[in-house]
Amino acid sequence: MEKRLYRSKKNRVILGVCGGLGEYFNIDPTVIRLIFIFLLIAFNFSLVVVYFLSALIIPEGPDISEKNEHDDVTPSGPIQHL
């Protein structure tokens, strides 16, 4: 299966572009966000347009059922005794 670039659904702050880049390159999305902020300041905030254009071009990630992630979770606290 070939690797594809998607906007992240789980690592998003605004639109998931930096989170998707982090997942694609196997880098922590926080590092991508910090690099983007430094470049944003260096280029006098003109990269905001690039960010929103990227959000329009890069498709959102495929639906991954969150229910499957929580199937093995056992309840804790008072509800487990009911």
Side-chain angles (χ1 to χ4, degrees), residues 9-63:
K9 285 189 171 184
K10 60 182 179 179
N11 286 324
R12 67 173 24 178
V13 174
I14 298 175
L15 294 172
V17 174
C18 293
L21 286 170
E23 290 173 1
Y24 184 79
F25 292 114
N26 292 325
I27 301 173
D28 184 15
T30 306
V31 173
I32 301 290
R33 289 182 189 108
L34 287 172
I35 292 170
F36 181 76
I37 289 171
F38 288 128
L39 291 174
L40 192 69
I41 293 169
F43 287 103
N44 295 322
F45 297 95
S46 61
L47 289 180
V48 172
V49 175
V50 173
Y51 181 86
F52 285 109
L53 286 176
S54 298
L56 289 174
I57 294 170
I58 300 172
E60 193 166 16
D63 288 332

Side-chain angles (χ1 to χ4, degrees), residues 51-80:
Y51 181 86
F52 285 109
L53 286 176
S54 298
L56 289 174
I57 294 170
I58 300 172
E60 193 166 16
D63 288 332
I64 299 173
S65 176
E66 290 188 34
K67 188 176 183 181
N68 291 338
E69 294 177 10
H70 301 292
D71 284 345
D72 297 332
V73 176
T74 57
S76 62
I79 196 161
Q80 76 183 21

